[in-house]
Amino acid sequence: MDAQRFRALTAYHRALVGIAVLLDGHEARVYLENDSLAGAGLSKSAEELASQPPELRMPFIGSLLRGALSDLEKSSGE
């Protein structure tokens, strides 16, 4: 599973995509594409992550989300 596009996002956007895909799976792409500034990248990242079978996708995205939230916590503490 290639998450290069996802990892290139800011910590905030990684968390947003992670939560969206965990909650809505394939539909996350539709919601995220409405972001006026980063919609295309968010949508494509969500589409790539959601394309994986749920038994692989759920734990993988959970790990990515924890990493994004940790990065957000570190940046807010500075």
Side-chain angles (χ1 to χ4, degrees):
M1 180 181 325
D2 182 19
Q4 184 176 3
R5 184 184 310 269
F6 178 84
R7 288 187 174 107
L9 297 172
T10 65
Y12 173 80
H13 284 132
R14 289 193 321 265
L16 184 65
V17 170
I19 290 169
V21 174
L22 283 173
L23 291 176
D24 292 319
H26 294 284
E27 297 300 315
R29 179 189 59 78
V30 176
Y31 299 121
L32 293 170
E33 71 186 359
N34 291 313
D35 184 291
S36 63
L37 299 176
L42 298 177
S43 175
K44 188 66 176 164
S45 293
E47 182 179 6
E48 290 173 357
L49 293 174
S51 70
Q52 300 304 311
E55 61 272 5
L56 297 175
R57 177 177 70 222
M58 302 301 271
F60 181 64
I61 295 173
S63 295
L64 294 175
L65 177 58
R66 282 190 297 278
L69 293 175
S70 176
D71 290 348
L72 280 173
E73 184 179 31
K74 289 174 189 173
S75 68
S76 68
E78 294 177 350

